[in-house]
Amino acid sequence: MTAERPRITIFDTTLRDGEQSPGCSMNQPEKLRLAHQLDRLGVDVIEAGFPIASDGDFEAVKAIAAAVRRPIIAGLARACRPDIERAWEALQYAARPRIHVFLATSDIHLQYKLRITRDQCVAQAADAIRFAKSLCEDVEFSPEDATRTEPDFLCRVLEAVVEAGATTLNIPDTVGYTVPAEFGDLISTIRRRVKGIDKVIISAHCHNDLGMAVANALAAVAAGARQVECTINGIGERAGNASLEEVVMAMRVRPDRFAYETGVVGEQIFAASQLLSEITGVPVQPNKAITGRNAFAHEAGIHQDGMLKNALTYEIMTPQSVGVPDSKLVLGKHSGRHALSIRCEQLGYQFDRRALDDIYRRFVRLADKIKHVEDHHLLELIRDTHKPSGSATPLIEKIVPQQAAVVNAPQAEPVPEPAKPFPVGPQTNAFGVPLPVHGDSHHEQTQQEDYLWGV
Ligand code: KIV
Ligand code: ZN
């Protein structure tokens, strides 16, 4: 019998912290469109905005609260009455409203930003939570800059807000300063030291200034946090927040290390990423884990060969599991003959080994110059390589015409008829050594060529 995996609440803050990314602000219809996609994605909480920040944000939170009924809808508020009242005004008709109150607790913020003492900070936090609780059952508190707050004082503030009625304690690494082991220790300290902690959910909110947001969030979960705050494509203030798709897929791909469940529908991840990018006009970085255009693209010949034999060789999750239509084999200078021959077949040309070698050499020289070899380049090259001078008729018989710039792996087009042989000259291996022309040793020779050409 397998033990039940703890369920992690996925709190999506793309529409609030994510929107704080330069260039990522969204208007009300855009926010509503994305909120519907987050609902399809299966997130548990949507932080829809910061209602006091602007009338537009207020209207967006209100519209989302009215239209999106399954997830909890949260609105952000500073620890003061006007913010909390405005947040409640926007949220009050939600099926499941949450007020999210924050107040900085680090000495740096108390001294330079808020200009209040520690005692004043504790009193303000508790008062704000009591007021929020008088309006809404579900209240979250965030001690801003928690990871640079003196731990004894942090525990004191947290204890006061639990006493005042907070139901979720979110621990923000506001400036992306912490590292996984340290953040895990902080969560353990809070669990050990804060009275009443067992009645509330601990949450992690990690920024990516040192590129450790996802690792820190996972360390917090391992230490007992049961909510993760994250964003699609990892957008957010400065270097961004922990990326939702990375947190979720780390748990799916490595259940041996992260034995937790989420309600996220993996197959909706790519659609959410694309929609966000379309709405904001901010492209996803090509090598972004899970959602970047290269996340399931393979260019190296050895990798392409492995992928064509079995995708498990170079992919730890299927593209379909995150809603990406298919893997791509990109034809570039690192590609090998295996992918090249399949692309040629998809374009309607089938070659024997030697003819392919011929094409391959010229293909590599071309790829060196133009980086990505598109179908029209390849067709030109094929015709040029195998056309006797003066003749307009290619010697190669075209089998199935197709238009696509990449090879879709692993299912190559079936080839309806046998290959036509080509007249080819003497061949050499990668080091210029002539290869035997024909004979019984052809199979061994083929294997040797595979090795020399890096397949
Ligand atoms: O990073 C942060 O501290 C925040 C809080 C408002 C939760 O975004
Ligand atoms: Zn934040």
Side-chain angles (χ1 to χ4, degrees):
M1 205 172 73
T2 51
E4 208 152 273
R5 294 163 192 270
R7 173 73 147 74
I8 304 302
T9 297
I10 296 296
F11 178 117
D12 181 278
T13 184
T14 307
L15 296 173
R16 197 280 296 169
D17 209 324
E19 208 209 2
Q20 290 172 214
S21 307
C24 287
S25 70
M26 294 168 247
N27 61 29
Q28 187 205 305
E30 290 167 341
K31 280 190 150 195
L32 191 56
R33 220 175 133 208
L34 192 57
H36 281 299
Q37 177 57 29
L38 293 172
D39 187 13
R40 284 190 285 278
L41 181 62
V43 306
D44 302 290
V45 185
I46 295 176
E47 186 163 50
F50 190 2
I52 198 133
S54 71
D55 289 345
D57 224 28
F58 174 85
E59 292 302 336
V61 175
K62 196 170 163 189
I64 292 167
V68 183
R69 310 298 287 176
R70 181 196 55 82
I72 293 171
I73 307 298
L76 188 67
R78 286 168 298 188
C80 59
R81 270 183 101 95
D83 276 42
I84 294 168
E85 276 166 349
R86 191 73 171 146
W88 182 240
E89 218 185 312
L91 291 167
Q92 61 187 320
Y93 301 114
R96 303 169 69 198
R98 174 180 294 184
I99 300 177
H100 178 189
V101 176
F102 75 100
L103 181 65
T105 50
S106 68
D107 286 335
I108 298 172
H109 281 239
L110 296 189
Q111 202 178 328
Y112 298 108
K113 187 180 86 176
L114 301 176
R115 302 208 167 114
I116 58 173
T117 64
R118 284 186 174 187
D119 286 348
Q120 286 171 318
C121 173
V122 176
Q124 186 177 337
D127 284 349
I129 294 301
R130 261 190 297 276
F131 180 56
K133 191 76 178 182
S134 72
L135 303 171
C136 180
E137 186 45 43
D138 187 346
V139 175
E140 172 168 326
F141 176 73
S142 290
E144 192 190 4
D145 205 17
T147 51
R148 292 192 301 169
T149 300
E150 198 261 310
D152 284 345
F153 179 63
L154 180 64
C155 289
R156 188 178 149 210
V157 177
L158 294 177
E159 209 164 289
V161 297
V162 171
E163 169 85 37
T167 42
T168 298
L169 296 185
N170 179 46
I171 310 303
D173 182 29
T174 303
V175 290
Y177 176 72
T178 197
V179 300
E182 179 186 55
F183 198 48
D185 285 348
L186 180 63
I187 301 296
S188 300
T189 302
I190 291 167
R191 288 185 72 197
R192 227 180 22 251
R193 306 246 309 263
V194 174
K195 220 188 296 158
I197 198 75
D198 293 341
K199 296 183 292 186
V200 304
I201 299 287
I202 302 177
S203 166
H205 176 111
C206 299
H207 279 270
N208 206 30
D209 299 67
L210 291 174
M212 283 188 268
V214 170
N216 289 336
L218 292 169
V221 168
R226 290 294 173 261
Q227 173 178 287
V228 173
E229 301 201 352
C230 43
T231 59
I232 302 297
N233 296 336
I235 66 166
E237 192 75 45
R238 303 181 313 281
N241 288 71
S243 130
L244 179 148
E245 57 276 13
E246 293 174 26
V247 169
V248 168
M249 291 314 290
M251 292 176 188
R252 298 250 158 107
V253 173
R254 296 303 307 271
D256 54 325
R257 290 274 155 184
F258 308 112
Y260 310 98
E261 296 289 349
T262 73
V264 168
V265 180
E267 292 75 9
Q268 291 290 335
I269 286 176
F270 189 62
S273 162
Q274 293 288 296
L275 179 60
L276 174 63
S277 199
E278 181 203 315
I279 287 174
T280 59
V282 176
V284 184
Q285 103 194 39
N287 62 327
K288 166 79 181 63
I290 321 287
T291 53
R293 73 161 185 268
N294 290 350
F296 296 94
H298 307 266
E299 185 178 318
I302 291 167
H303 291 214
Q304 291 181 336
D305 181 59
M307 281 294 296
L308 289 164
K309 288 170 176 160
N310 187 330
L312 286 173
T313 51
Y314 288 104
E315 282 183 352
I316 59 170
M317 66 194 104
T318 65
Q320 291 80 9
S321 69
V322 294
V324 172
D326 216 337
S327 309
K328 287 186 286 188
L329 300 193
V330 178
L331 291 181
K333 70 174 178 185
H334 304 109
S335 299
R337 282 179 304 176
H338 195 166
L340 179 67
S341 72
I342 290 206
R343 191 68 199 127
C344 290
E345 283 178 17
Q346 289 177 333
L347 290 168
Y349 297 94
Q350 199 180 30
F351 302 105
D352 70 10
R353 184 95 194 168
R354 281 154 207 297
L356 184 67
D357 285 348
D358 221 14
I359 300 268
Y360 182 72
R361 285 190 186 89
R362 299 184 64 176
F363 159 79
V364 171
R365 278 201 296 274
L366 180 66
D368 238 345
K369 286 189 206 133
I370 65 168
K371 296 191 178 164
H372 277 165
V373 179
E374 305 287 347
D375 286 351
H376 66 94
H377 298 125
L378 195 53
L379 285 166
E380 228 173 279
L381 194 147
I382 290 169
R383 290 191 184 118
D384 194 51
T385 309
H386 291 290
K387 188 174 66 177
S389 56
S391 162
T393 314
L395 291 174
I396 310 145
E397 187 166 325
K398 195 164 190 319
I399 301 165
V400 188
Q402 265 202 347
Q403 288 302 317
V406 293
V407 177
N408 288 330
Q411 60 274 54
E413 281 292 313
V415 180
E417 36 181 283
K420 305 255 178 205
F422 295 99
V424 287
Q427 302 292 301
T428 56
N429 71 13
F431 302 101
V433 177
L435 296 168
V437 178
H438 276 302
D440 293 334
S441 63
H442 183 68
H443 181 65
E444 286 152 44
Q445 174 203 327
T446 300
Q447 282 187 334
Q448 189 203 14
E449 285 172 21
D450 272 346
Y451 175 72
L452 290 170
W453 283 100
V455 288

